């Protein structure tokens, strides 16, 4: 149980000015703690104060959850006027949520369901993929950035097997706050992209590749051993995680100015 810092500050200011008594302030603090919205009901528990603490609402990971739990989670987020995002949704989960919530955006390739209440954009991130096979992970990243209200662009199929393809689009990346690079096979693309840019590169190894790729482990190790200093690496197929980090980087200047 927590209380938002601004709420506490306001109560203490009222106490200091004599607008409220010690008993009144104590009662208000206890009420805030008791009513802290951390759950929809016994089926799903949501941290609705995460937006205030961390800058973004809680995201719902769909696998293993019933439609009832997903529905209650979305209802709780909407009641708190927060954007909704569910990741790794099955087709039945995605289609059902889209029917239950008219404003929901379901992307069957990204396996995400998103509802946008706050839409003020800040920052810019590009997502670059080595091949079309990396598209599902890239789209999960794209939907995540849209949920975060970050301007995002997807540039597909510019892998190292045809280096001229990246050179043809690199001018689109020069004003990005961060770039997410999604690649399987040997995972070489992040180093190439990073060598041309002055912003952070968030590398996502995918499970795309033949036997020796070991389901993305080869790409993961290759990215971790990148000689480009501005490359950081997330887990295999972790499009959401990469986008979340990139979005935080992109929106930091706007938050510092506000």
């Amino acid at each position: 149980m927590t209380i938002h810092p601004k709420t506490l500050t306001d109560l203490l200011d009222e106490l200091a000015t004599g607008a409220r008594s010690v008993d009144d302030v104590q009662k208000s603090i206890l009420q805030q703690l008791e009513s802290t919205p951390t759950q929809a009901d016994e089926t799903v528990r949501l941290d609705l104060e995460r937006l205030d603490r961390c800058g973004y609402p809680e995201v719902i990971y769909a696998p293993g959850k019933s439609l009832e739990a997903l529905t209650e989670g979305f209802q709780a987020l909407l009641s708190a006027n927060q954007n909704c995002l569910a990741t790794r949704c099955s087709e039945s989960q995605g289609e059902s949520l889209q029917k239950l919530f008219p404003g929901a955006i379901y992307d069957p390739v990204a396996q995400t369901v998103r509802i946008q209440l706050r839409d003020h954009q800040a920052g810019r991130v590009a997502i670059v993929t080595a091949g079309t096979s990396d598209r599902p992970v890239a789209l999960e990243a794209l939907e995540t950035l849209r949920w975060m209200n970050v301007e995002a662009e997807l540039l597909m199929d510019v892998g190292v097997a045809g280096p001229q393809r990246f050179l043809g689009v690199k001018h689109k990346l020069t004003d990005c706050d961060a770039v997410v690079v999604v690649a399987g096979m040997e995972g070489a693309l992040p180093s190439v992209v990073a060598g041309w840019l002055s912003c952070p590169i968030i590398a996502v190894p995918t499970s795309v590749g033949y036997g020796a790729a070991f389901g993305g482990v080869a790409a993961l190790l290759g990215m971790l051993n990148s000689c480009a200093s501005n490359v950081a690496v997330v887990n295999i197929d972790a499009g959401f995680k990469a986008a979340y980090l990139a979005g935080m980087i992109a929106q930091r200047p706007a938050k510092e100015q506000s």
Side-chain angles (χ1 to χ4, degrees), residues 11-251:
L11 288 171
L12 293 175
D13 284 342
E14 291 176 352
L15 176 63
T17 59
R20 301 185 70 166
S21 68
V22 173
D23 289 341
D24 284 342
V25 171
Q26 182 184 45
K27 183 178 180 181
S28 294
I29 291 175
L30 290 174
Q31 287 176 341
Q32 288 283 332
L33 293 175
E34 291 171 358
S35 63
T36 296
T38 57
Q39 64 183 65
D41 68 3
E42 294 181 355
T43 305
V44 58
R45 299 179 62 87
L46 285 182
D47 178 8
L48 296 179
E49 291 189 336
R50 192 171 302 183
L51 175 63
D52 293 324
R53 289 198 324 274
C54 304
Y56 304 96
E58 182 173 357
V59 177
I60 300 174
Y61 180 71
K65 292 184 174 64
S66 66
L67 179 59
E68 179 185 12
L70 294 174
T71 302
E72 290 168 354
F74 269 34
Q75 288 173 338
L77 288 165
L78 293 174
S79 296
N81 194 36
Q82 297 181 15
N83 288 349
C84 302
L85 179 66
T87 63
R88 304 300 168 99
C89 296
S90 67
E91 184 176 349
S92 61
Q93 288 174 326
E95 291 179 349
S96 297
L97 286 172
Q98 192 174 40
K99 290 178 181 177
L100 289 168
F101 299 94
I105 300 169
Y106 168 49
D107 188 317
V109 180
Q111 295 183 294
T112 58
V113 178
R114 171 171 57 92
I115 300 178
Q116 214 72 15
L117 296 181
R118 306 178 182 207
D119 58 5
H120 177 70
Q121 287 195 337
R124 182 170 185 273
V125 173
I127 304 163
V128 179
T129 76
T132 308
S133 297
D134 303 307
R135 184 167 176 251
V137 176
L139 288 177
E140 181 182 68
L142 182 64
E143 285 298 295
T144 300
L145 287 164
R146 288 171 173 169
W147 164 79
M148 297 176 77
N149 298 321
V150 175
E151 180 186 349
E153 181 177 7
L154 177 60
L155 304 173
M156 299 211 24
D157 203 13
V158 293
V160 298
Q164 77 285 354
R165 295 176 298 180
F166 173 70
L167 295 178
V169 300
K170 72 179 179 67
H171 65 281
K172 297 183 179 181
L173 307 177
T174 54
D175 63 342
C176 288
D177 299 294
V179 174
V180 175
V181 180
V182 185
M185 300 293 187
E186 81 279 35
L189 185 60
S191 293
V192 174
V193 174
W196 288 97
L197 301 175
S198 61
C199 65
I201 306 299
I202 312 298
V204 190
T206 68
S207 49
V208 172
Y210 297 101
F214 292 109
V217 174
L220 172 64
L221 295 176
M223 292 175 181
L224 286 171
N225 284 284
S226 172
C227 63
S229 303
N230 51 334
V231 174
V233 188
V234 297
N235 207 346
I236 298 169
D237 292 335
F240 163 75
K241 182 66 175 292
Y244 194 97
L245 290 171
M248 292 185 74
I249 293 169
Q251 292 199 335

